[in-house]
Amino acid sequence: MGMKSSFLLILFIVPAVLADLRVGFYKPTCPDAESIIFQAVQKRFNTDKSVTAALLRMHFHDCFVRGCDASILIDSTTQNQAEKDAGPNQTVREYELIDEIKKALEAKCPSKVSCADIITVATRDAVVLAGGPNYTVPTGRRDGLVSRAGDVNLPGPQVDVSQAFQIFRAKGLTLEEMVILLGAHTVGVAHCSFFSERLQNDPSMDANLAANLSNVCANPNTDPTVLLDQGTGFVVDNEFYKQLLLKRGIMHIDQELAIDSSTSGFVSRFARDGNGFKQSFGKAMVKMGSVGVLVGNGGEVRKNCRVFNPKNKPTVPSPPKKDKVSPPSKKANNKKQKKPKGNGKKNKNTRAL
């Protein structure tokens, strides 16, 4: 899910936020919002089934930095390097899909649907299309106003269970929920550079798998990818956990889930109970999607997911209009003009117009 290991210590109180999000948030203002999102995701899924893994990764990387506020979508500028250009986000993709969805929503309901909700709902739809649970997503998120590459601190593939859990716990997630959410590795791929150190005499990896992966990763000039789930790599199911019990986990942190005594019981349970995993996965995704969200008057609803909305410019008062002076009539010119009384000096409070 990332390349660097570090820890975030800010605790987000998720239950309180859930009260501010609600199912059907856009029904009064954009009733077709979720339908528009689904149609776009379905079209993309029909041509590339890896979109599910891509959106899951985008959603996770967004929520685990500043909360689920779509800050990962912001483009960098000469004044600011944004989150998407941080090291762990270099391989995040499907920004174009989010742009496509946003364009369609703006055409239908301008400035109503947030980019943060687009990521969340689109991820759910991709999970459903890949055979996963059809969980209900509460909406009402607002888009963040900050995106800095320096804020990106995500767990890397080489961390152990206790290190990874420190990060998940800081987000208000339990150990079991961490195991469930890492089950998102039931879809997607990993570059050889993420796990190459495991291919040399690692007793926790199946020997045949290690030999096969060594062949795939043999060329030092390339960095190929392999499926994280060697069983059903494009289906959201519990096969990932079954693979872990067979020592066929690809990344270190994945295989550690089956080895560490604090998490091995969860792995065994989900390997046995596919329906139980799907139900738990849906609930965990809803909870993760509520981490650090902005609601109400917080943040904004971007018109373009890649840039912050322009700040409102202060109103500049118009210059006073000049009074129209009618030319004197001939009759008036013939009359003798009286001289005004006074000393002939200009009043200091009078300005020339």
Side-chain angles (χ1 to χ4, degrees), residues 314-336:
T315 303
V316 179
S318 302
K321 294 181 180 179
K322 294 182 179 181
D323 293 332
K324 290 184 179 180
V325 179
S326 300
S329 64
K330 291 182 179 180
K331 186 182 287 187
N333 285 338
N334 292 332
K335 289 184 178 181
K336 192 174 182 180

Side-chain angles (χ1 to χ4, degrees), residues 4 71 74-87 90 146-152 308:
K4 296 182 179 178
S71 52
I74 292 294
D75 285 340
S76 294
T77 65
T78 54
Q79 291 80 32
N80 177 63
Q81 185 181 28
E83 286 180 29
K84 66 168 54 171
D85 289 322
Q90 291 294 311
V146 177
S147 180
R148 293 187 295 252
D151 293 337
V152 178
F308 302 118

Side-chain angles (χ1 to χ4, degrees), residues 96-332:
E96 293 77 13
L97 175 58
I98 303 300
D99 292 338
E100 178 186 336
I101 295 171
K102 183 60 173 173
K103 182 178 179 181
L105 287 168
E106 285 298 303
K108 186 77 172 180
C109 340
S111 300
K112 297 298 182 185
V113 183
S114 70
C115 302
D117 275 338
I118 293 174
I119 295 176
T120 306
V121 175
T123 300
R124 186 275 310 278
D125 292 343
V127 167
V128 172
L129 290 167
N134 188 1
Y135 54 95
T136 302
V137 175
T139 46
R141 295 164 188 77
R142 305 268 291 179
D143 299 324
L145 301 173
V146 177
S147 180
R148 293 187 295 252
D151 293 337
V152 178
N153 296 285
L154 295 165
Q158 292 83 22
V159 298
D160 59 30
V161 170
S162 62
Q163 291 172 325
F165 183 47
Q166 288 188 52
I167 301 171
F168 279 79
R169 182 170 55 191
K171 303 302 179 188
L173 297 164
T174 67
L175 185 63
E176 180 179 7
E177 288 165 340
M178 180 186 82
V179 177
I180 295 166
L181 291 171
L182 287 176
H185 288 172
T186 185
V187 290
V189 299
H191 287 270
C192 289
S193 57
F194 277 41
F195 59 84
S196 57
E197 74 285 348
R198 298 193 65 217
L199 303 181
Q200 304 299 324
N201 301 317
D202 186 340
S204 68
M205 178 177 278
D206 174 73
N208 291 330
L209 175 62
N212 291 336
L213 295 180
S214 294
N215 291 330
V216 174
C217 302
N219 190 339
N221 297 320
T222 61
D223 192 13
T225 60
V226 302
L227 291 172
L228 287 168
D229 180 344
Q230 292 287 298
T232 55
F234 293 101
V235 180
V236 176
D237 57 15
N238 67 332
E239 182 64 26
F240 169 73
Y241 300 104
K242 295 178 182 179
Q243 294 289 312
L244 296 185
L245 295 180
L246 297 173
K247 296 185 176 182
R248 294 176 63 83
I250 302 300
M251 295 197 296
H252 174 76
I253 180 55
D254 291 345
Q255 193 58 54
E256 281 293 300
L257 296 177
I259 297 172
D260 193 289
S261 59
S262 67
T263 53
S264 59
F266 298 129
V267 172
S268 297
R269 173 155 59 87
F270 293 132
R272 294 191 306 267
D273 186 2
N275 289 331
F277 163 66
K278 288 184 178 182
Q279 292 176 3
S280 298
F281 186 74
K283 292 177 182 177
M285 287 295 292
V286 169
K287 187 172 178 180
M288 186 191 79
S290 304
V291 168
V293 300
L294 299 169
V295 293
N297 294 322
E300 64 183 10
V301 175
R302 289 182 216 139
K303 295 185 71 66
N304 178 345
C305 290
R306 292 175 178 264
V307 297
F308 302 118
N309 291 340
K311 293 182 179 179
N312 292 326
K313 295 181 179 180
T315 303
V316 179
S318 302
K321 294 181 180 179
K322 294 182 179 181
D323 293 332
K324 290 184 179 180
V325 179
S326 300
S329 64
K330 291 182 179 180
K331 186 182 287 187

Side-chain angles (χ1 to χ4, degrees), residues 340-353:
K341 294 181 181 181
N343 57 13
K345 294 182 180 179
K346 292 182 179 179
N347 188 329
K348 291 182 181 180
N349 294 324
T350 301
R351 295 179 181 176
L353 298 179

